Amino acid sequence: MVATESTPIAGRGLRADALRNRQRILEAARRIFEERGVDAPLDEVAERAGVGAGTLYRRFPTRVALVEAVFEEELAEMAGIGEEALRCEDPWVGFSTYLERICAVMAADRGLGDLLLLKLPASGESAGACERHSRAQADLLVRAQKAGVVRDDLVPEDIFLFLVANGAIARVTHCAAPHAWRRLVALLLDSCRPGRNGPLPAAPTPLQAARAQQEHAETKGLRAVGCEGSGDQRDGRGC
């Protein structure tokens, strides 16, 4: 008889078998998402993990559930980067170091870079870490502006635009010029200083930025309910 997750095996119960499969799926998904982004086909995750597609979808019924499980620790670390920057006594060093570290993460890990540009369902397991990160990011900007080291017409939505630009540069130059993102970040930080040229064009409103993040999530197959998927039909069950 072929062993399945519901077939007890000597010395190994159902729970241990299921946990082993779960870990193999998470490890495979982490590698694939890092290489290709969070919209990589989930059937490829199952194949690399050495499990059937049915096993993957029993463990993680939606793409959102899998992504949140894969990046749970990393999302908390991103919030920690912002909170650590707030503890820096120098407001400019805190602000600039935060942006440099976040952009470095995006350049090194395509999957995590994707998550920093999109909005996951508010009811998801990652909601707490995402909220901490957003709050720290906003506080870093306000503190730097109050200290007079960042131009006062910069808004939180500008940080989102910075990350979008960095993500695109990192993705396009990853192989040919993997250091290129550093130059972009230096230019962006210089533009944040007070007294840089004239007034800025209008920034996206908070609602527009949130909509852009939600639409980006949908292009990655990360919807709260009902979606068409991104190449694998099973994703239609609410990823």
Side-chain angles (χ1 to χ4, degrees):
M1 180 175 64
V2 177
T4 67
E5 282 194 326
S6 59
T7 305
I9 301 176
R12 184 176 61 192
L14 171 62
R15 180 173 177 80
D17 206 32
L19 288 175
R20 183 191 64 186
N21 282 338
R22 184 179 190 276
Q23 188 59 34
R24 288 166 66 182
I25 291 168
L26 290 176
E27 290 173 356
R30 186 67 182 87
R31 292 193 298 270
I32 289 178
F33 290 162
E34 180 178 348
E35 297 164 3
R36 301 181 53 185
V38 296
D39 54 346
L42 298 188
D43 285 349
E44 291 188 16
V45 173
E47 182 178 357
R48 188 176 296 194
V51 302
T55 297
L56 186 151
Y57 290 102
R58 281 195 296 274
R59 302 277 72 79
F60 302 99
T62 69
R63 185 180 293 269
V64 169
L66 177 59
V67 166
E68 289 187 319
V70 167
F71 291 104
E72 180 180 7
E73 292 183 5
E74 287 86 348
L75 288 172
E77 288 171 4
M78 294 303 98
I81 287 175
E83 292 164 350
E84 181 180 341
L86 279 170
R87 293 193 289 272
C88 180
E89 293 184 4
D90 186 312
W92 172 254
V93 172
F95 177 78
S96 60
T97 300
Y98 163 77
L99 278 179
E100 289 167 350
R101 291 183 66 185
I102 291 296
C103 288
V105 166
M106 297 180 73
D109 188 325
R110 185 168 176 178
L112 192 50
D114 280 345
L115 289 192
L116 291 170
L117 299 180
L118 54 78
K119 188 176 182 65
L120 290 170
S123 59
E125 296 296 325
S126 62
C130 291
E131 174 59 28
R132 284 173 51 209
H133 187 191
S134 296
R135 185 166 54 248
Q137 185 182 95
D139 289 348
L140 283 165
L141 175 58
V142 170
R143 185 179 73 145
Q145 288 173 323
K146 287 182 177 179
V149 295
V150 166
R151 56 191 301 164
D152 57 15
D153 56 352
L154 209 67
V155 295
E157 291 69 41
D158 289 317
I159 307 302
F160 169 62
L161 296 181
F162 289 176
L163 297 184
V164 170
N166 183 71
I169 291 290
R171 185 167 58 253
V172 171
T173 65
H174 178 71
C175 293
H179 59 283
W181 67 272
R182 295 183 182 276
R183 183 175 178 86
L184 173 71
V185 173
L187 290 168
L188 292 174
L189 285 173
D190 184 67
S191 73
C192 292
R193 288 292 202 173
R196 292 298 191 265
N197 299 320
L200 293 169
T205 65
L207 182 60
Q208 289 171 331
R211 180 179 175 183
Q213 290 175 301
Q214 181 60 47
E215 290 175 349
H216 186 55
E218 291 176 1
T219 69
K220 299 293 182 180
L222 295 166
R223 300 185 187 182
V225 293
C227 67
E228 297 301 323
S230 58
D232 32 18
Q233 292 300 316
R234 297 177 187 84
D235 276 354
R237 293 188 291 166
C239 45

